[in-house]
């Protein structure tokens, strides 16, 4: 029997400060370590903060806030990822962290997974930003749809409404995901968002037969007022928090956190995975691959690729029977490789 102690963190950022929010991450890891936590999950794009401004401001007015987010965004690798890597290693803890990643002139909603030895196993980008988020982030690709062998088992992750993409979820399920790490922004839309989050993560736990460790962010009333001075709009930046840990049987293993900062902690008994899948294994005995299959493009996408040397050689060949020169097949972009912080 395998047991893992996991923590889902509900926490507020230090607005407009990459360094300040990073420091809160490091303190939370240290605090969790004192309680024997082996896996910790932080909210969506927690460093430096979720772009709440894009939900309440029209595009023509959000340029200033968008630029401020650029200035505080995280490059990978960078001193931020190095600090988190060292904390993960020092505390023998798997860390799942959401960041606003800056890559050149673009921002991405990025999930980072650090193993207990400090290595950065995965940098995955949200495949399709949701609604207002499309004015802020670029799109990810299929290279991040991976389940990783970590010190605590097979771990996968999705962000927010990626959970409404059943094929994205199924791609992780098919890789025998044991612990699913879900991240949401929190402090948005009100109670209905919290209710929807609860249904969404419980459904994935039941369907996948895995544990779900779900973390949402939280804004204090003072932070809401700072982001949105218009009192008529402030209500849309409240509620929507539901931080908890769900068993493969769809049961909360700890009291959900719906307001304020806190840490939901629970022991994950892996025998519950077998217990659930004995009855319904959606990627095993309950599947019908003769009828239904999922095809996933796991190539990482790039705007350029080097022309292979044999392309020039081909141009010297004789034309084919159609009178055209043969064109060699271009190589596929390799899958994204794990990134290691030294």
């Amino acid at each position: 029997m395998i047991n893992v102690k996991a923590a889902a963190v509900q926490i507020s950022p230090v607005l407009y400060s990459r360094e300040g929010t990073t420091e809160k991450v490091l303190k939370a890891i240290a605090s969790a370590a004192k309680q024997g936590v082996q896996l910790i999950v932080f909210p969506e794009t927690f460093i430096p903060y979720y772009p709440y401004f894009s939900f309440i401001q029209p595009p023509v007015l959000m340029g200033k806030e968008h630029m401020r987010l650029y200035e505080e965004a995280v490059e990978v690798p960078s001193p931020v990822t190095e600090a988190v890597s060292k904390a993960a290693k020092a505390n023998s803890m798997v860390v799942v962290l959401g960041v606003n990643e800056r890559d050149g002139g673009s921002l991405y909603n990025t999930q980072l997974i650090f193993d207990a030895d400090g290595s950065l196993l995965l940098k995955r980008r949200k495949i399709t930003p949701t609604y207002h988020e499309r004015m802020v982030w670029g799109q990810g690709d299929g290279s991040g749809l991976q389940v990783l062998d970590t010190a605590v088992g097979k771990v996968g992750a999705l962000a927010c409404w990626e959970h409404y993409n059943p094929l994205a979820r199924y791609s992780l399920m098919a890789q025998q995901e044991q612990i699913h790490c879900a991240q949401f922004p929190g402090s948005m839309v009100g109670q209905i968002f919290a209710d929807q989050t609860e249904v969404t993560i419980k459904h994935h736990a039941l369907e996948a037969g895995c544990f779900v460790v779900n973390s949402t962010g939280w804004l204090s009333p003072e932070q809401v007022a700072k982001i949105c001075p218009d009192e008529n709009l402030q209500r849309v930046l409240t509620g929507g928090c539901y931080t908890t840990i769900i068993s493969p049987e769809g049961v909360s293993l700890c009291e959900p956190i719906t307001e304020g900062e806190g840490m939901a902690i629970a022991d994950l008994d892996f025998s519950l995975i077998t217990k659930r899948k004995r009855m319904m294994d959606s990627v095993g005995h309950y599947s019908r691959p003769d009828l239904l299959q999922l095809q996933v493009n796991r190539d990482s996408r790039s705007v350029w690729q080097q022309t292979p040397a044999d392309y020039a050689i081909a141009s010297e060949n004789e034309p084919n029977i159609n009178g055209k020169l043969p064109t060699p097949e271009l190589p596929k972009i390799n899958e994204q490789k794990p990134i290691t912080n030294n």
Side-chain angles (χ1 to χ4, degrees), residues 10 41 87 94 238 240 259 278 282 325:
Q10 186 158 295
V41 180
V94 176
T238 59
E259 187 176 357
R278 180 184 68 84
S282 60
L325 292 172

Side-chain angles (χ1 to χ4, degrees), residues 274-281 285-286:
T274 304
K275 182 180 177 182
R276 172 62 179 169
K277 289 192 171 185
R278 180 184 68 84
M279 298 181 65
M280 199 288 295
D281 184 355
H285 63 76
Y286 211 73

